[in-house]
Amino acid sequence: MLYKYNFEELALLLERGEVRSVDIADSFLKRIQNYDKKINSFITVDEEKLYLQAEESDARRKKGGELSRYDGIPIAVKDNICTKGIKTTCASKILENFIPPYNAAVYEKLKGSGFILLGKTNMDEFAMGSTTEASFFGPSKNPYNTEKVPGGSSGGSAAAVSANLAPAAIGSDTGGSIRQPAAFCGVTGIKPTYGRVSRYGLVAFASSLDQIGTFGNCVDDAALLLSVISGYDKRDSTSIDVEVDFHPEKLRDDLNEIVIGVPDEYFKGVSEDIRNNIEGKLKELEVNGAKIEKISLKYIDYAVPVYYLIATAEASSNLARYDGIRYGYRSDAASTLDELYSKTRSEGFGKEVKRRIMLGTFSLSSGYYDAYYLKALKGRTLIIEDFKKAFSKVDVIITPTTTTTAYNLGEMINDPLQMYMSDILTISANLAGIPGISIPAGLDREGLPIGLQIMGSHFREKKIFGLAAIIEKICEPIHPEI
Ligand code: GLN
């Protein structure tokens, strides 16, 4: 039953010598062996390396001396984060056998705090998608109902935490890829402020939007894990040196001091069950002393087109490096250099990735740049200004995370426009670089999880976690049957 404990409980058991790291690893490995055939949340689990790390941790503990409280707890990591000596595939054929020669900054930090790697999780290829159906390794399934998508692109991380196949996980969020799967799978997921966590060693999708964040089964675990991976890193030029002030013990906030902004625009087109649920939570917060204020974020309608122009433009540039020469898949059907490039890329990339590269290349091409990319940058500025104005009046903003709960596998995959539109409530936070969390707020009539999103101003993660911890207490705890 070790898989049911949160970080503090596991740390205590380890500290008292009641369990060893090997026992915890064993317990999660058994869960993975029993259930991951159904959920498909992991791409790589290296049993041997897992036990080796656990034994090393147990030896460190036995030796005594200074030790992190969390030494020996296993964590799942999204497969676009480089792990030295362990495959990092990005769920793509082009990186199917890629073994990084270095560690991402976040993985170094995890190791530095004694956490051990449980496995690498499934995702949409290069983090492009909302369902994991764009994975070369097949989709992950939602633990609440395996006919449904777990969300994406960090769907493997969310599903693994939801199904108790991992105590917590790391993901990345370019337009909602942590918060949307967290909402669909009934777990907590945070995308921190842009610059809070180093992107060194994260395989780039859209560099001005990408940010690494965490998943947990409770707010405290997500906060703790984020505090471990946060911090300045000179190898990422967008990394910012700010205090990490949100360790779980510092999180208890007072509702009487908080002003919550609620933008009408974020409730348009939202399913009735979700709207009722979130409005109910807001009423309850008000009764308990929070001040609720109506605000307007009127540029939300620009968010989807602006995001899909900027993200694809950056992706077309970032993905130029997969050329079959330096690393990754290489086509053996080519006879000239040009053919090698084009065959490698057409055989190695999946459909969605190709679509995005073509869109991005088109919008950046001469003659179109001003009409598309430059226009999108202007739209991005309007969205940033919108939030600035809002945060001069309110501390945080509450909205639903998604417009619907998890939908059927196969339902959206052939309608990319509809899938892009479904990101509408999460992508503005990436465009503005602000932090956002999704916490489970209950179930809809179909028994599927509903996510509540809290956004805050830059580096106000503490406010977000504080409020999230309060809301967590007023929500019915939910868990899948698995
Ligand atoms: N669903 C969005 C997209 O497909 C977001 C992806 C992400 O955050 N990585 O681009």
Side-chain angles (χ1 to χ4, degrees):
M1 294 292 270
L2 285 175
Y3 57 85
K4 292 224 162 143
Y5 294 118
N6 63 29
F7 282 159
E8 264 337 292
E9 292 163 339
L10 287 174
L12 263 178
L13 290 170
L14 284 163
E15 192 179 289
R16 293 199 199 120
E18 286 171 33
V19 302
R20 298 165 306 161
S21 172
V22 168
D23 303 319
I24 302 175
D26 212 41
S27 161
F28 282 101
L29 203 56
K30 293 240 160 64
R31 295 277 301 168
I32 293 170
Q33 281 158 353
N34 285 339
Y35 299 108
D36 211 38
K37 274 184 229 66
K38 216 159 107 187
I39 305 292
N40 197 28
S41 61
F42 284 93
I43 292 177
T44 303
V45 177
D46 187 328
E47 267 181 54
E48 228 171 273
K49 284 205 176 87
L50 174 62
Y51 280 119
L52 199 69
Q53 297 172 79
E55 280 160 11
E56 280 169 6
S57 164
D58 287 330
R60 279 196 294 273
R61 204 171 278 276
K62 217 166 160 190
K63 211 166 125 210
E66 218 175 291
L67 200 69
S68 141
R69 271 180 76 60
Y70 309 99
D71 205 299
I73 297 179
I75 299 292
V77 175
K78 188 175 179 180
D79 213 17
N80 59 351
I81 291 171
C82 286
T83 44
K84 186 174 171 181
I86 298 163
K87 268 191 207 170
T88 298
T89 70
C90 262
S92 180
K93 179 177 174 181
I94 217 156
L95 289 177
E96 187 184 358
N97 295 307
F98 174 61
I99 299 179
Y102 70 104
N103 282 326
V106 294
Y107 186 51
E108 277 173 358
K109 284 196 179 270
L110 286 174
K111 278 165 80 84
S113 287
F115 286 99
I116 64 178
L117 178 70
L118 184 54
K120 304 293 296 287
T121 53
N122 201 5
M123 55 185 280
D124 287 291
E125 185 180 6
F126 284 99
M128 297 174 187
S130 305
T131 64
T132 71
E133 289 166 293
S135 168
F136 177 63
F137 302 96
S140 300
K141 313 283 168 62
N142 192 310
Y144 279 82
N145 176 344
T146 50
E147 314 261 285
K148 307 278 177 189
V149 300
S153 66
S154 316
S157 288
V161 174
S162 168
N164 278 333
L165 308 183
I170 305 288
S172 69
D173 188 312
T174 305
S177 274
I178 290 178
R179 290 159 290 154
Q180 182 255 24
F184 280 11
C185 290
V187 298
T188 295
I190 173 136
K191 176 202 95 73
T193 308
Y194 185 77
R196 171 75 87 178
V197 177
S198 169
R199 290 180 294 109
Y200 177 76
L202 166 71
V203 179
F205 161 13
S207 309
S208 79
L209 302 161
D210 295 342
Q211 208 26 218
I212 298 174
T214 60
F215 290 95
N217 260 319
C218 60
V219 172
D220 279 6
D221 283 4
L224 181 99
L225 201 56
L226 186 63
S227 74
V228 169
I229 61 168
S230 292
Y232 177 69
D233 177 12
K234 65 174 186 315
R235 295 166 300 181
D236 170 0
S237 60
T238 60
S239 160
I240 300 177
D241 195 4
V242 278
E243 194 200 345
V244 177
D245 57 355
F246 47 82
H247 296 283
E249 69 272 15
K250 296 187 195 148
L251 287 184
R252 303 297 163 241
D253 242 340
D254 185 356
L255 270 187
N256 291 314
E257 284 173 16
I258 203 154
V259 185
I260 301 171
V262 181
D264 257 355
E265 295 91 343
Y266 276 66
F267 288 76
K268 263 197 318 197
V270 169
S271 85
E272 199 188 319
D273 284 8
I274 297 181
R275 191 170 351 105
N276 288 341
N277 180 303
I278 306 298
E279 283 174 355
K281 298 290 170 320
L282 286 167
K283 278 205 191 91
E284 216 164 322
L285 288 169
E286 197 168 23
V287 169
N288 285 298
K291 208 162 158 241
I292 310 281
E293 248 182 59
K294 286 233 169 295
I295 56 166
S296 168
L297 291 170
K298 55 181 179 304
Y299 291 113
I300 190 178
D301 290 342
Y302 291 3
V304 170
V306 163
Y307 169 85
Y308 276 95
L309 281 164
I310 293 176
T312 55
E314 293 185 20
S316 74
S317 160
N318 273 326
L319 271 60
R321 73 193 70 178
Y322 305 101
D323 54 9
I325 306 287
R326 286 164 291 189
Y327 47 76
Y329 173 80
R330 175 184 296 177
S331 170
D332 51 19
S335 47
T336 65
L337 185 61
D338 277 353
E339 234 177 67
L340 179 70
Y341 293 150
S342 62
K343 286 211 156 67
T344 293
R345 289 166 70 80
S346 41
E347 289 161 25
F349 288 135
K351 205 166 142 191
E352 183 61 27
V353 173
K354 283 183 204 159
R355 182 175 7 246
R356 304 235 183 164
I357 292 174
M358 285 191 284
L359 276 171
T361 308
F362 176 75
S363 67
L364 287 178
S365 55
S366 82
Y368 295 99
Y369 179 92
D370 287 2
Y372 296 113
Y373 185 69
L374 198 66
K375 202 54 166 277
L377 290 183
K378 290 179 183 165
R380 184 175 191 172
T381 303
L382 292 175
I383 290 167
I384 295 171
E385 294 297 325
D386 233 8
F387 277 116
K388 246 195 217 150
K389 224 163 76 199
F391 286 123
S392 68
K393 288 190 283 194
V394 301
D395 297 310
V396 292
I397 296 170
I398 288 187
T399 73
T401 310
T402 54
T403 52
T404 67
T405 52
Y407 39 87
N408 289 333
L409 284 148
E411 195 176 319
M412 283 255 228
I413 192 72
N414 294 317
D415 189 349
L417 205 57
Q418 168 96 3
M419 190 152 85
Y420 297 170
M421 285 309 292
S422 74
D423 293 329
I424 185 143
L425 304 182
T426 50
I427 49 188
S428 294
N430 301 76
L431 290 166
I434 59 171
I437 198 171
S438 178
I439 58 171
L443 299 173
D444 72 356
R445 295 172 233 200
E446 262 191 280
L448 294 166
I450 293 171
L452 178 146
Q453 177 172 238
I454 312 172
M455 292 180 280
S457 192
H458 296 96
F459 298 108
R460 294 287 179 271
E461 279 85 352
K462 187 174 175 207
K463 268 259 172 284
I464 292 181
F465 280 131
L467 180 59
I470 294 173
I471 302 178
E472 184 176 54
K473 284 213 194 78
I474 62 173
C475 294
E476 255 327 275
I478 56 171
H479 224 281
E481 263 158 39
I482 218 156

